[in-house]
Amino acid sequence: MQLRTKHLLGIRDLIPEDIQLILDTARQFKEVLQRPIKKVPSLRDITVVNLFYENSTRTRISFELAEKRLSADTINFSASGSSVSKGETLLDTVNNILSMKVDMVVMRHSATGAPHFLAQHIPAAIINAGDGINEHPTQALLDALSIIEKLGQLKGKKIAIIGDIMHSRVALSNIYLLSKMGAEITLAGPPTLIPRHIQEAFGVNVTYNIKEALEWCDVANVLRIQLERQNQVLFSSLREYNQTYGVKKSLLDNLTKQILIMHPGPINRGVELDSDVADSGHSIILDQVENGVAVRMAVLYLLSGRREANA
Ligand code: NCD
């Protein structure tokens, strides 16, 4: 089986069969990661550059580890400390790197569409590791794998995505993926952080009441307030946000069923999510991080054009 796409720019471009193939392959790689020897030769002779124009902890380490586990050669580039500060364009930077015979580019950029632009101009396979407020496809894939591991499937499951929907690429990629795979979605948060026409555009539910969202859902995916992307005041204070929209232990204690709590990280503890929830038995946040490596191995492997997992 092969992916129908040459790049992973967004979940928007994937068909359900592609998503399923990535998740199935990730599960095989997860088995590999349980073994004493975690390295496979699948990407030997493939060179990958990790091009990070924006800060990252988890995603960057996760991609790098995935590449190493697959025996790829890797180069790390971060915009700070590079010739970008001397005025070099994105295309020039990438063409210079590619002339050193690089096969794949993993890219994070604060501009929406940056990886799509590159895909039109360079021959290497591109994996979007987050572009502005647009998409973060590998995050949605690892979120999906984490939900399936706990609940068996996505179809028919109720997922609440809570918080700063407006500025979150994680939200958009999750909305595409979950709706393609037949899950039900409710978006919850303050009206100023939920785009006005999203309900009609994506066929999702919207509520401004966190209690209602938590009562409805099987899984709550809680998102960080993206203060760095907000150029106006969208809520009165972080303290008030926490009181009205924060996910708190008292809210979970009042539910009649157990729900799963997810968060892509980094968590603003005490703002969108309280510590006693983030660290509780409800939380699968560290499972998400673990699954990130297997999902990224799957994406790298499938896009590298090899035929079957060398597990
Ligand atoms: C997310 C991102 O960078 O989009 N984090 C991540 O990749 N784990 C979410 C965030 O920054 O809040």
Side-chain angles (χ1 to χ4, degrees):
M1 283 271 279
Q2 293 258 301
L3 283 181
R4 276 134 192 100
T5 155
K6 190 179 161 219
H7 309 282
L8 180 63
L9 301 177
I11 303 293
R12 185 186 169 166
D13 313 319
L14 301 183
I15 55 172
E17 288 76 8
D18 286 332
I19 296 171
Q20 197 57 53
L21 176 60
I22 296 171
L23 296 175
D24 292 344
T25 310
R27 239 176 266 122
Q28 293 179 36
F29 280 125
K30 205 167 165 189
E31 267 174 49
V32 172
L33 294 174
Q34 315 298 331
R35 296 180 193 163
I37 296 170
K38 299 174 179 57
K39 207 164 169 141
V40 288
S42 316
L43 254 68
R44 201 188 282 157
D45 296 330
I46 301 258
T47 306
V48 187
V49 59
N50 300 309
L51 207 60
F52 278 70
Y53 281 81
E54 212 191 60
N55 295 346
S56 172
T57 307
R58 270 153 295 271
T59 305
R60 188 182 172 136
I61 292 176
S62 181
F63 266 111
E64 204 181 327
L65 203 52
E67 290 150 13
K68 288 192 177 355
R69 300 278 194 240
L70 291 168
S71 309
D73 293 321
T74 64
I75 310 163
N76 291 315
F77 167 95
S78 50
S80 56
S82 75
S83 288
V84 172
S85 58
K86 298 180 188 168
E88 186 167 69
T89 65
L90 173 60
L91 197 53
D92 275 345
T93 304
V94 175
N95 273 329
N96 275 278
I97 293 171
L98 290 183
S99 64
M100 298 181 233
K101 305 276 178 284
V102 169
D103 305 292
M104 303 179 86
V105 177
V106 174
M107 182 190 199
R108 169 167 287 195
H109 202 286
S110 56
T112 289
H116 307 70
F117 167 79
L118 271 195
Q120 285 171 0
H121 289 92
I122 64 169
I126 295 172
I127 300 173
N128 182 2
D131 66 321
I133 59 168
N134 182 38
E135 281 223 45
H136 189 353
T138 55
Q139 181 69 44
L141 287 159
L142 73 88
D143 289 346
L145 183 61
S146 308
I147 298 171
I148 294 168
E149 273 181 1
K150 298 290 175 191
L151 302 183
Q153 59 179 30
L154 293 172
K155 198 167 166 43
K157 299 299 174 203
K158 295 180 169 148
I159 319 294
I161 305 177
I162 301 178
D164 186 353
I165 311 297
M166 176 100 80
H167 302 96
S168 172
R169 52 197 177 205
V170 177
L172 192 56
S173 285
N174 261 278
I175 292 169
Y176 281 128
L177 190 149
L178 293 169
S179 43
K180 282 176 199 252
M181 301 308 274
E184 285 179 53
I185 305 169
T186 290
L187 307 177
T192 47
L193 293 180
I194 300 185
R196 203 171 290 163
H197 299 293
I198 199 158
Q199 192 160 5
E200 305 88 76
F202 289 96
V204 294
N205 312 302
V206 170
T207 174
Y208 306 127
N209 183 325
I210 297 302
K211 195 162 163 266
E212 195 180 295
L214 293 174
E215 273 164 3
W216 171 85
C217 72
D218 302 310
V219 180
N221 196 350
V222 187
L223 304 178
R224 184 173 67 87
I225 302 302
Q226 311 257 315
L227 287 172
E228 75 279 18
R229 299 190 202 284
Q230 299 175 10
N231 50 15
Q232 53 181 320
V233 180
L234 294 167
F235 51 89
S236 48
S237 71
L238 291 176
R239 188 159 166 271
E240 199 172 318
Y241 183 90
N242 177 256
Q243 274 163 13
T244 318
Y245 300 105
V247 175
K248 311 184 142 303
K249 186 165 180 299
S250 56
L251 290 173
L252 298 189
D253 287 346
N254 284 329
L255 300 177
T256 51
K257 58 174 178 184
Q258 279 265 339
I259 64 166
L260 299 175
I261 299 291
M262 301 172 68
H263 193 300
I267 305 171
N268 278 317
R269 287 174 179 259
V271 181
E272 69 269 2
L273 188 61
D274 284 0
S275 276
D276 49 7
V277 177
D279 304 329
S280 71
H282 292 274
S283 164
I284 59 164
I285 294 171
L286 293 176
D287 300 277
Q288 291 173 261
V289 178
E290 183 185 346
N291 286 333
V293 179
V295 157
R296 290 173 176 123
M297 286 173 79
V299 169
L300 286 156
Y301 167 76
L302 290 166
L303 288 179
S304 77
R306 310 274 166 121
R307 289 199 175 263
E308 60 190 28
N310 259 335

